[in-house]
Amino acid sequence: MFPLFVIVILVALVLQRIFVRSASDSANIRYECKPSVRSCEPGAEFLVFSTVQNHSRFRTPAIRIDEHFPRNLNVLESEQFNVKNLSEEHRIYCSTVVLRKRQQIRRSLRASIGERGEYAFQYADFHAGDFLGFRENDYRIENEHRIVIYPPKLEDAGVLQAFTNEIDEIALKKQFLEDPISVRGYREYTGREPMRQISWTQSAVRNELIVKQFDPVWAQSVLIVLDTEYHGDFDRFGAQLEYLFSLTRTACDVLEQRQIGYRLMTNAIISSGISSFAGGTGTDGSYGRILFALGAAKRGSVCSVEELMRTAILSAVRREVIVFLSTRRDAKVDRALQKARALPGARLLTLFADPDAQAEEGRPAV
């Protein structure tokens, strides 16, 4: 009996040594957490995939994993995770795994995020125990996958009524002149173009639906200038800025629906300088890039509204409409608008997130 007891103790010590070595060797553990999409609409469902892989030749001990997800993550289904905690910055999901040698385990959960922004699935804390449960080895594995949530559309059509009326005039003029004067080529029908853009002659020749491509002069019809500089009212600035991103997105939607070319210029924190995007030209992905930029933009600005307007005016040649969007009015905004009004041949429309500033323009308050 005693020899058997000694053998059990020796086996336990050997296993303990193997498990201690395995638990302390974090280099053999790979971790990745990523959403199923790079970007999406607010409130849209997506999957979050969490993968843990053991590269070692040995089986791992039981590993507790605390995964740090964005705090705004709304988890709809998470059967593979057993504990959910909230911290000031994260939503922490806990789980326990045991990995055989060279094994990979992949878990998933359904989730959504309702607020605009860029969200990171940052890191996971690992707690690996030994065979006898005497101690744990703790380590962290970083993860940098992100998801961008677009700004929501505005449902109040009256806010953009003056803008919509102006754009409808451009669309009507475009419809009168585009055939045949501005046709510069043809391409395959994608399903997004209106029926009037189909060339039935070319479609009959090629035995497939073909649409007309129009002169790029129409891509210079509208310039949207989005100013995100702080102009006072600190307590409401964050909410006004979020409204402004939605206002910009909705204005772009109007132009996309009417196939009016436009350029968006902004001093929002998207890159290190003033950002510029072309839209409404039928180029695949152009509108997607605009939505992504508006979703990923941080609060604040990279330059003043006056510098932004100076840059915008240089590119405003042959624009029919300049649309200026800002949170509210102050002396700097007035100086910038004065420069824009001095530009010949362009109609200036202003939209503000502040109700008082919007009312001064003679349009419905936002």
Side-chain angles (χ1 to χ4, degrees):
M1 191 69 180
F2 180 75
L4 179 62
F5 180 71
V6 172
I7 293 173
V8 170
I9 291 178
L10 291 176
V11 170
L13 291 175
V14 171
L15 291 175
Q16 171 76 350
R17 182 167 184 175
I18 292 174
F19 272 81
V20 166
R21 184 175 63 179
S22 177
S24 61
D25 190 5
S26 60
N28 285 321
I29 301 297
R30 300 288 186 272
Y31 169 74
E32 182 182 55
C33 182
K34 62 187 300 185
S36 58
V37 294
R38 186 166 174 253
S39 57
C40 67
E41 296 285 354
E45 290 187 17
F46 57 89
L47 294 176
V48 178
F49 296 110
S50 173
T51 304
V52 184
Q53 188 172 8
N54 177 24
H55 282 218
S56 172
R57 295 181 292 109
F58 301 99
R59 176 177 174 272
T60 70
I63 302 176
R64 293 189 297 108
I65 308 174
D66 299 335
E67 298 184 65
H68 291 67
F69 297 155
R71 198 180 195 281
N72 288 8
L73 190 74
N74 177 30
V75 178
L76 306 174
E77 180 184 357
S78 58
E79 295 180 356
Q80 295 169 300
F81 298 84
N82 49 32
V83 181
K84 302 92 178 173
N85 300 314
L86 277 177
S87 67
E88 292 185 0
E89 298 181 358
H90 302 99
R91 182 178 293 274
I92 303 172
Y93 272 68
C94 305
S95 60
T96 301
V97 299
V98 176
L99 297 165
R100 298 189 299 273
K101 63 177 183 179
R102 314 297 187 188
Q103 184 185 12
Q104 174 179 290
I105 294 178
R106 191 186 201 198
R107 295 85 52 78
S108 66
L109 55 84
R110 289 193 305 113
S112 67
I113 298 178
E115 297 80 23
R116 182 202 72 88
E118 184 177 30
Y119 299 89
F121 296 80
Q122 291 181 312
Y123 60 89
D125 289 324
F126 287 71
H127 313 280
D130 58 25
F131 175 70
L132 299 178
F134 290 157
R135 65 177 181 175
E136 282 188 334
N137 182 53
D138 301 327
Y139 52 91
R140 175 173 294 181
I141 298 181
E142 300 292 338
N143 182 74
E144 283 300 324
H145 287 289
R146 299 170 181 268
I147 187 171
V148 169
I149 306 299
Y150 304 146
K153 299 179 184 178
L154 295 181
E155 301 298 331
D156 184 3
V159 172
L160 290 169
Q161 192 59 56
F163 168 76
T164 303
N165 293 341
E166 197 78 22
I167 297 309
D168 283 341
E169 288 186 19
I170 296 177
L172 184 61
K173 187 193 301 184
K174 177 177 182 286
Q175 183 175 351
F176 285 149
L177 296 179
E178 67 185 10
D179 188 15
I181 297 175
S182 63
V183 176
R184 65 179 178 88
Y186 302 91
R187 58 179 172 81
E188 294 181 1
Y189 176 68
T190 64
R192 296 191 299 269
E193 299 83 359
M195 293 295 290
R196 60 181 173 79
Q197 195 170 330
I198 296 176
S199 171
W200 299 108
T201 303
Q202 291 293 324
S203 298
V205 171
R206 304 188 191 186
N207 199 28
E208 61 178 332
L209 287 178
I210 300 296
V211 294
K212 307 164 191 172
Q213 286 186 287
F214 301 109
D215 195 291
V217 67
W218 293 111
Q220 302 182 16
S221 298
V222 180
L223 174 64
I224 298 178
V225 182
L226 170 60
D227 167 43
T228 60
E229 185 183 8
Y230 173 69
H231 298 296
D233 196 358
F234 179 80
D235 292 338
R236 299 173 60 199
F237 176 66
Q240 289 179 349
L241 198 56
E242 291 304 317
Y243 187 94
L244 193 64
F245 284 122
S246 291
L247 192 62
T248 304
R249 186 255 167 93
T250 309
C252 292
D253 280 348
V254 172
L255 293 165
E256 292 287 337
Q257 291 166 7
R258 288 159 176 75
Q259 293 193 319
I260 300 296
Y262 63 95
R263 180 163 290 278
L264 170 64
M265 298 189 69
T266 179
N267 57 359
I269 303 177
I270 299 171
S271 61
S272 58
I274 292 175
S275 300
S276 180
F277 306 90
T281 59
T283 304
D284 291 341
S286 62
Y287 186 45
R289 286 191 290 272
I290 291 174
L291 289 178
F292 189 91
L294 292 176
K298 305 296 187 295
R299 293 182 178 181
S301 61
V302 297
C303 68
S304 69
V305 61
E306 294 170 292
E307 183 179 344
L308 171 64
M309 188 58 77
R310 280 197 298 270
T311 304
I313 288 175
L314 292 176
S315 68
V317 180
R318 299 169 68 185
R319 306 285 180 184
E320 296 191 28
V321 178
I322 298 176
V323 184
F324 176 80
L325 303 100
S326 188
T327 54
R328 62 196 306 271
R329 297 189 69 153
D330 65 359
K332 297 173 72 174
V333 170
D334 286 336
R335 288 194 295 269
L337 292 177
Q338 187 175 2
K339 295 176 182 178
R341 290 191 177 99
L343 188 68
R347 168 107 162 93
L348 175 66
L349 296 177
T350 57
L351 294 169
F352 296 95
D354 180 72
D356 296 331
Q358 190 67 23
E360 291 178 11
E361 298 296 317
R363 287 185 290 279
V366 173

